[in-house]
């Protein structure tokens, strides 16, 4: 169930869309850029089913049509997607004393206790990387401001303690300036990495590496060949879901995260159904048996195609010391991306030093937080708790990270 109101009148023409199924008809996808895959109507349908919480979809209309959009998710202490939950992000930022910015947020926004940030309305999507409002070709700065103002109003109606934009890229100067002007405080939340695909493909990519790293990559590939491991990019299908679900679960459990093969397989099957040929997997097989995989999601918008790494899993017993990780999640994907004319491979957050060493670019992301006054609370809009497959299974959000994810129960670090 999504958050459908009641909605009081807000600034300008901001309208709710009842659920993700209604987004295509409302013109949502016309607002997307190539980097906005995780805010496509199809992917939001995946998140809506698996989020275990209320989601809201707000659209700004002007001159008779939609010009901007904002997705939001309700976060309390029951939601497991810790990498976009404001209390968990602040707690991580405060480890080992934290930066002055994180200390200021703790003092001035959270009142000394990160838990005081909950419940929170998390805006711009709970995916990891490039939190933003959607701005179509005809959007103006005031359109995004109208959406942010309406989200803040909605948060107050529901008696939230805070509003959070979890991963705002520092290069998004317009949104950064807007949030600062509205009184938000911020702290570093992550570093986001992406790899521009070189025109010369794999050969050019390898040539750009240092001599030492080129030699290391060649040795890694030789080791895989000698072990009779083959890696290919192929469509994600329901037939693959049971085995990939086992490997997906392996990675989670390796780092102490809750998981079940059945839930992982069910989610992967659902993704294949919703995303069609825009969901691919880089699969490693040894003697016909699948021993590792990484998911790749295809984004096409405004005449450009970009790919996003997402989820991974390995058979650690079969893998042993074989250098599977980067061959599955980077090298084979890069080769295929170059052949298909893809412009960018998004590597997401986590393991930033390793990604930079392999040619990625990176930028800082900051969590922006606004404290709301709850002293006169009396919410006018209830927050329904949906009963979904994710809720009943106790599962995390539909995403995950590197082979060395943070020590949380979240599943959203991409291949990242």
């Amino acid at each position: 169930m999504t958050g459908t109101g009641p909605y009081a009148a807000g600034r300008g023409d901001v309208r709710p869309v009842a659920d993700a199924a209604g987004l295509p008809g409302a013109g949502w996808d016309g607002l997307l850029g190539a980097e906005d895959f995780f805010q496509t109507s199809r992917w939001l349908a995946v998140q809506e089913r698996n989020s275990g919480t209320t989601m809201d979809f707000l659209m700004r209309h002007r001159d008779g049509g939609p010009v901007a959009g904002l997705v939001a998710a309700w976060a309390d202490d029951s939601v497991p997607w810790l990498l976009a939950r404001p209390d968990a992000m602040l707690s991580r930022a405060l480890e080992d004393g934290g930066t002055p910015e994180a200390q200021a947020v703790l003092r001035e926004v959270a009142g000394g206790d990160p838990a005081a940030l909950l419940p929170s309305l998390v805006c711009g999507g709970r995916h990891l990387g490039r939190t933003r409002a959607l701005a179509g070709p005809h959007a103006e700065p005031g359109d995004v401001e109208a959406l942010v103002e309406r989200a803040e109003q909605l948060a107050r109606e529901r008696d939230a303690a805070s509003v959070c934009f979890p991963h705002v890229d520092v290069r998004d100067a317009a949104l950064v300036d807007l949030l600062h002007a509205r009184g938000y405080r911020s702290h570093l939340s992550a570093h986001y990495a992406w790899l521009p695909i070189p025109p010369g493909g794999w050969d050019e990519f390898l040539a750009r590496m240092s001599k030492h790293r080129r030699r290391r990559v060649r040795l890694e590939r030789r080791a895989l060949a000698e072990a009779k491991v083959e890696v290919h990019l192929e469509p994600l299908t329901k037939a693959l879901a049971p085995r990939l679900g086992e490997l997906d679960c392996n990675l989670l459990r390796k780092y102490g995260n809750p998981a079940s093969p059945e839930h992982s397989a069910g989610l992967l099957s659902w993704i294949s159904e919703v995303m069609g040929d825009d969901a691919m997997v880089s699969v490693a097989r040894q003697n016909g048996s699948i021993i590792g995989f990484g998911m790749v999601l295809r984004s096409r918008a405004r005449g450009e195609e970009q790919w996003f790494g997402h989820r991974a899993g390995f058979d650690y017993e079969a893998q042993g010391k074989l250098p599977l990780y980067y061959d599955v999640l980077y090298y084979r994907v890069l080769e295929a991306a170059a052949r298909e004319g893809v412009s960018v491979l998004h590597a997401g957050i986590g393991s930033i030093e390793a990604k930079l060493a392999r040619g990625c670019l990176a930028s800082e992301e900051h969590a922006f937080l606004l404290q709301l006054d709850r002293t006169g609370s009396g919410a006018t809009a209830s927050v329904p708790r949906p009963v979904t497959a994710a809720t009943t299974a106790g599962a995390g959000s539909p995403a995950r990270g590197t082979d060395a994810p943070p020590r949380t129960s979240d599943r959203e670090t991409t291949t990242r």
Side-chain angles (χ1 to χ4, degrees):
M1 183 180 297
T2 54
T4 57
Y7 291 88
R11 171 184 170 184
D13 192 3
V14 175
R15 307 175 189 176
V17 179
D19 52 31
L23 293 175
W28 180 274
D29 289 334
L31 306 175
L32 299 166
E35 295 187 358
D36 295 321
F37 173 85
F38 293 111
Q39 296 199 64
T40 61
S41 59
R42 287 191 297 167
W43 190 256
L44 289 173
V46 172
Q47 284 202 332
E48 186 178 59
R49 172 167 169 162
N50 195 54
S51 67
T53 192
T54 298
M55 294 185 69
D56 289 278
F57 309 100
L58 302 174
M59 297 187 72
R60 163 74 164 180
H61 286 249
R62 190 165 39 77
D63 299 327
V67 292
L70 182 68
V71 61
W74 184 258
D76 57 23
D77 60 7
S78 71
V79 298
W81 26 277
L82 302 182
L83 292 180
R85 211 175 83 182
D87 61 321
M89 289 192 299
L90 180 56
S91 294
R92 285 194 301 275
L94 291 167
E95 291 178 358
D96 300 322
T99 63
E101 292 79 11
Q103 289 288 349
V105 170
L106 176 67
R107 182 176 61 253
E108 299 171 19
V109 183
D113 181 8
L117 296 171
L118 298 181
S120 181
L121 190 68
V122 175
C123 296
R126 60 183 178 83
H127 56 278
L128 303 184
R130 303 192 174 174
T131 299
R132 62 187 293 268
L134 297 178
H138 304 295
E140 299 176 356
D143 297 321
V144 173
E145 184 172 11
L147 289 168
V148 173
E149 182 177 291
R150 184 65 191 94
E152 293 168 5
Q153 182 184 21
L154 182 59
R156 291 187 174 94
E157 291 168 3
R158 293 179 177 171
D159 201 27
S162 68
V163 178
C164 175
F165 285 73
H167 296 288
V168 177
D169 195 302
V170 294
R171 294 169 302 150
D172 192 349
L175 183 57
V176 169
D177 291 346
L178 171 62
L179 296 178
H180 278 310
R182 295 189 67 83
Y184 287 72
R185 299 301 303 269
S186 66
H187 66 81
L188 180 68
S189 58
H191 289 83
Y192 185 90
W194 68 97
L195 178 66
I197 305 298
W202 172 255
D203 290 339
E204 183 177 345
F205 173 76
L206 197 63
R208 291 178 180 180
M209 290 183 173
S210 67
K211 182 178 179 180
H212 169 75
R213 188 160 296 280
R214 283 199 302 273
R215 180 176 179 275
R216 182 172 177 179
V217 170
R218 291 187 176 113
L219 289 174
E220 289 173 351
R221 288 203 146 180
R222 183 183 303 170
L224 293 176
E226 291 173 350
K228 294 181 170 53
V229 174
E230 296 183 350
V231 181
H232 299 285
L233 191 68
E234 58 194 78
L236 173 64
T237 64
K238 289 187 176 182
L240 289 170
R243 177 55 176 164
L244 301 190
E246 293 174 354
L247 304 184
D248 180 83
C249 185
N250 284 350
L251 189 146
L252 283 175
R253 288 179 173 174
K254 179 179 180 181
Y255 296 100
N257 297 323
S260 76
E262 296 77 15
H263 175 74
S264 290
L267 179 58
L268 289 166
S269 180
W270 171 241
I271 291 173
S272 73
E273 180 179 336
V274 173
M275 301 308 304
D277 63 2
D278 287 335
M280 303 170 285
V281 280
S282 175
V283 180
R285 290 180 173 86
Q286 185 178 46
N287 300 320
S289 177
I290 296 175
I291 62 172
F293 84 98
M295 186 186 295
V296 181
L297 299 165
R298 188 198 320 265
S299 172
R300 298 186 184 100
R302 304 186 191 181
E304 186 177 359
E305 181 171 333
Q306 300 187 11
W307 287 4
F308 291 77
H310 184 76
R311 307 187 74 90
F314 299 91
D315 181 333
Y316 292 108
E317 183 177 353
Q319 175 181 342
K321 295 184 179 180
L322 289 173
L324 272 184
Y325 182 75
Y326 285 104
D327 204 68
V328 169
L329 299 178
Y330 282 89
Y331 304 149
R332 299 297 178 177
V333 176
L334 184 147
E335 287 178 311
R339 288 194 300 268
E340 296 197 23
V342 176
S343 60
V344 177
L345 172 62
H346 291 265
I349 74 169
S351 303
I352 195 64
E353 292 83 4
K355 293 171 184 176
L356 291 173
R358 287 164 176 81
C360 286
L361 305 177
S363 62
E364 287 187 358
E365 297 183 334
H366 290 252
F368 280 77
L369 291 137
L370 180 70
Q371 181 187 45
L372 301 179
D373 183 4
R374 307 182 75 200
T375 57
S377 64
T380 61
S382 61
V383 183
R385 298 298 305 172
V387 179
T388 66
T391 305
T392 56
S397 62
R400 165 157 42 327
T402 68
D403 197 21
R407 298 183 300 275
T408 74
S409 64
D410 195 277
R411 305 181 62 178
E412 279 193 272
T413 53
T414 73
T415 57
R416 303 177 186 191

